[in-house]
Amino acid sequence: EGRDEATQRVDLGALLDSLCDDLAALGMDVTCAGVEKRIVYPCRPTALKRAVRNLAENAAQYGARARVAMDAEGGGVRVVIDDDGPGIPADEVEHVFDPFVRLEESRCPETGGIGLGLAIARDVVHAHGGGIELANRPEGGLRVTVHLPPVTAR
């Protein structure tokens, strides 16, 4: 659905800072680092914010807290979201991106999600020409890394 949104040049630091403030105002333990950098990037801002919001919400909900960071990466941008949760079993890392997959089956379906968030986040990132990866951190928790590609001259 975000593919119909017009591409705009957006200060990604401001977008992420606003996202973190919104989630913190909802009582989630979410912090941002490195977002004070001014990185202007052409994107579909509503779709990209929705994708990163889902990733940060998952980190805060399943990993107790979310730490969102951003930096420049080879002409592109890297957004990293770390949590302190149990991580994901290695054999489930790719599977969690499938629609309707939820690893935490004990959640009440009336209050929990239906397993579309990661699939949507991945689709949004791919639509921007980027990639998304999940990795268990050696010290515990999960790291989600969003790679947005360098902007090409047109």
Side-chain angles (χ1 to χ4, degrees):
E1 80 191 42
R3 294 177 201 263
D4 293 334
E5 181 184 3
T7 298
Q8 302 173 37
R9 293 180 54 77
V10 173
D11 181 343
L12 287 184
L15 183 139
L16 293 176
D17 191 43
S18 168
L19 168 82
C20 290
D21 286 348
D22 291 348
L23 295 177
L26 293 173
M28 295 182 184
D29 188 351
V30 178
T31 58
C32 283
V35 300
E36 65 280 350
K37 300 172 191 151
R38 183 165 166 80
I39 299 177
V40 177
Y41 193 83
C43 65
R44 290 180 290 285
T46 302
L48 189 59
K49 187 172 183 177
R50 178 180 181 192
V52 177
R53 179 184 177 116
N54 177 269
L55 299 170
E57 283 178 338
N58 282 351
Q61 183 170 7
Y62 301 114
R65 68 186 328 168
R67 289 178 303 284
V68 180
M70 175 192 74
D71 59 19
E73 174 186 65
V77 178
R78 180 175 65 165
V79 177
V80 176
I81 300 140
D82 287 338
D83 70 39
D84 295 334
I88 295 177
D91 61 337
E92 295 289 335
V93 169
E94 276 304 308
H95 184 59
V96 297
F97 287 109
D98 294 341
F100 307 110
V101 169
R102 293 174 54 209
L103 294 183
E104 215 273 312
E105 295 298 330
S106 65
R107 288 179 54 216
C108 173
E110 286 79 32
T111 59
I114 58 170
L116 287 175
L118 286 177
I120 291 169
R122 183 186 226 177
D123 285 349
V124 167
V125 171
H126 284 174
H128 282 85
I132 185 170
E133 58 190 50
L134 308 178
N136 290 311
R137 299 182 320 131
E139 63 274 22
L142 185 71
R143 170 167 286 172
V144 179
T145 306
V146 173
H147 301 276
L148 296 172
V151 178
T152 56
R154 295 179 192 216

